[in-house]
Amino acid sequence: MIILLNCSFRGVNSNSNSFLERLESLFEEECERIHLNQMKNIEELTGKLKEAKALVLGMPLYVDSAPAQVVELMEGLYESYQGAFPGLSVYVVSNLGFYESRQIHIQFQIVKNWCVKMGVTYGGGLAIGGGEMMGGLKSVPLDQGPNKQMGVGMRKLAKAITEGTVTEDIYVEPSGFPRRLYMLAADMSWGRNVRKNGLTKKDLYRRPD
């Protein structure tokens, strides 16, 4: 059993969930996807982890770290269940708004340190740069267009999970989509959001009173 834990509080509508869906499609064995924002208590997860061979944490990058709800979960598991999952391997699929996926390396290190404390194996992570854009490309096959690097990385991670092995952390960006175009698209989206909230572009540059 592979547990895919969507750690974004945006739940089923999150990019994290979208990437976990993509990863799940690469497995032939039984998987269960759980949404952290729907969990009533930690015991809902721990019972499943005792039977699972792998836990995949799907989450965004928040302020160069793991989201607060993930930190809270890790602390709760450490306090009450340290050493309870000796055969478990933990993997990460993380995305961020920055184009440069290397920004995620601190988050990966946090999960590695937690795995050592828990007595479980850190199996590796997949960092996806330009996550807001990549999460919206659900209709584009994994190995085509901007998804090409992500497809290679996801297949490599899926192979490690299936085989129960460890892989080095994998860092990917949108394929064939240069950073300057990504930044241009991001700037245009700011304008749309400003208008949606009844403001103008000038409001972005206004000094606070």
Side-chain angles (χ1 to χ4, degrees):
M1 167 72 79
I2 299 169
I3 302 296
L4 304 165
L5 183 62
N6 173 23
C7 299
S8 171
F9 260 26
R10 288 167 63 189
V12 295
N13 298 317
S14 64
N15 291 318
S16 298
N17 189 50
S18 176
F19 296 129
L20 288 179
E21 283 181 347
R22 292 262 194 172
L23 183 66
E24 186 175 357
S25 71
L26 301 176
F27 297 121
E28 295 183 359
E29 60 192 288
E30 185 180 2
C31 299
E32 182 173 356
R33 190 147 17 107
I34 300 172
H35 302 286
L36 184 57
N37 70 338
Q38 296 176 6
M39 278 177 42
K40 295 186 177 73
N41 54 64
I42 200 170
E43 286 73 24
E44 289 185 31
L45 178 63
T46 55
K48 299 177 187 296
L49 290 181
K50 289 176 181 177
E51 305 297 326
K53 77 169 191 179
L55 168 66
V56 183
L57 300 171
M59 58 180 160
L61 180 74
Y62 282 0
V63 199
D64 283 347
S65 183
Q69 62 268 21
V70 179
V71 175
E72 183 180 11
L73 175 67
M74 292 193 297
E75 288 175 345
L77 288 170
Y78 174 68
E79 288 172 3
S80 301
Y81 295 93
Q82 185 184 19
F85 318 111
L88 187 69
S89 293
V90 178
Y91 302 84
V92 183
V93 176
S94 187
N95 70 96
L96 74 166
F98 291 113
Y99 185 88
E100 301 84 2
S101 58
R102 284 275 169 187
Q103 195 81 12
I104 290 178
H105 76 279
I106 296 174
Q107 186 193 81
F108 283 169
Q109 190 60 54
I110 290 170
V111 179
K112 289 177 190 177
N113 294 342
W114 176 75
C115 286
V116 171
K117 295 288 188 181
M118 285 295 298
V120 300
T121 300
Y122 175 77
L126 173 64
I128 302 170
E132 199 65 30
M133 168 187 163
M134 302 295 282
L137 299 177
K138 297 179 183 179
S139 62
V140 180
L142 269 182
D143 302 308
Q144 295 181 20
N147 288 338
K148 189 172 182 180
Q149 274 191 48
M150 185 174 72
V152 172
M154 216 166 252
R155 292 183 191 283
K156 187 173 182 179
L157 187 68
K159 184 174 185 292
I161 295 170
T162 298
E163 296 175 350
T165 56
V166 174
T167 181
E168 73 276 4
D169 292 330
I170 305 161
Y171 297 89
V172 302
E173 280 93 31
S175 298
F177 200 91
R179 184 180 184 277
R180 59 184 177 79
L181 288 182
Y182 179 77
M183 296 301 293
L184 179 62
D187 287 343
M188 292 172 64
S189 70
W190 272 111
R192 287 194 297 271
N193 289 328
V194 164
R195 289 191 296 273
K196 190 185 297 184
N197 286 280
L199 303 171
T200 67
K201 261 193 161 181
K202 289 182 179 179
D203 292 311
L204 291 176
Y205 302 100
R206 189 175 59 194
R207 290 180 178 273
D209 295 332

